Amino acid sequence: MPLTKKQKQELVDKGGKQLQDSKAVIFSEFNKVGVEDFKRLRKELKKSNADLKVLKKRLLNIALKKLGVNFDPMKVKTQIGTIFSKSDLAAIAPIIHKFSKELTRFKKGDFLVLGAYDSLEKRMVDSNEFKALATLPSREVLLAQIAMMLTMPLKQLMKVLEERSKQIQ
């Protein structure tokens, strides 16, 4: 049954409200992805304070234009999944990237990230930049790597001094 004009307006308003409340919005196209896989993704996203919605492309386009987001969903030939995240893009990107890789590896369908809108920086992020962001190590790992780099020269100096003291004795 087709939607009435009032229902469509409510969907556009609801989509616009979700866009405003989100720190990051990820646009993905999907094909042949099973319901169980989507349930698994939604469960993972919920843990990170995010939600996946499948909106009609025309209604999504209207909501995006109202907010000034430069993304045209009408160019996509397959269905579009829109992920609204209340956390930043760096927190949600690894989850989506992992899900996409798993689907490809097990040949359960296609799930490609078309791009993302970072509300904090008010800019679009293309799929290549999204992939780079998704494959970055976590904050804790990066801090550990920096600490290791800072202590390495001191450790090497200690090793040289220890070897030198052994030669003197």
Side-chain angles (χ1 to χ4, degrees):
M1 185 165 129
L3 296 173
T4 64
K5 191 171 188 169
K6 183 179 178 183
Q7 289 172 323
K8 289 179 182 177
Q9 185 61 45
E10 287 174 4
L11 285 174
V12 169
D13 292 342
K14 186 177 178 184
K17 174 107 172 79
Q18 281 185 310
L19 282 167
Q20 286 177 335
D21 294 344
S22 299
K23 290 184 181 176
V25 181
I26 297 101
F27 305 103
S28 61
E29 80 176 307
F30 61 92
N31 192 18
K32 299 178 185 175
V33 179
V35 174
E36 291 302 316
D37 293 319
F38 268 126
K39 283 182 182 177
R40 187 170 43 88
L41 175 62
R42 282 190 167 111
K43 188 176 179 181
E44 287 295 317
L45 290 172
K46 193 167 211 138
K47 291 177 189 176
S48 298
N49 210 7
D51 191 26
L52 170 71
K53 297 284 184 191
V54 179
L55 302 170
K56 291 184 177 257
K57 289 185 249 185
R58 263 187 309 129
L59 300 179
L60 179 61
N61 193 28
I62 292 168
L64 291 173
K65 284 186 179 177
K66 279 185 179 180
L67 291 175
V69 177
N70 188 21
F71 178 75
D72 187 10
M74 301 305 286
K75 293 180 181 178
V76 180
K77 295 199 180 359
T78 60
Q79 293 179 322
I80 292 185
T82 309
I83 300 166
F84 301 97
S85 174
K86 295 192 184 202
S87 55
D88 65 344
L89 191 57
I92 202 76
I95 297 168
I96 297 165
H97 182 69
K98 180 183 173 191
F99 176 75
S100 176
K101 279 180 62 175
E102 285 177 4
L103 284 179
T104 304
R105 184 178 329 131
F106 297 119
K107 297 181 181 165
K108 291 184 171 184
D110 298 319
F111 191 87
L112 304 170
V113 173
L114 301 170
Y117 179 71
D118 189 348
S119 296
L120 299 174
E121 295 182 17
K122 301 278 189 231
R123 70 180 187 98
M124 282 297 294
V125 175
D126 68 355
S127 59
N128 293 331
E129 190 175 348
F130 180 85
K131 185 176 180 181
L133 186 62
T135 56
L136 275 177
S138 68
R139 182 177 187 271
E140 291 78 21
V141 172
L142 288 172
L143 289 173
Q145 289 174 349
I146 290 171
M148 181 70 94
M149 288 172 53
L150 292 174
T151 60
M152 191 57 69
L154 185 59
K155 286 181 181 180
Q156 290 175 342
L157 177 64
M158 296 290 287
K159 189 174 183 178
V160 168
L161 292 175
E162 184 180 329
E163 291 297 320
R164 182 75 175 145
S165 69
K166 286 179 184 177
Q167 290 176 355
I168 294 174
Q169 293 175 358

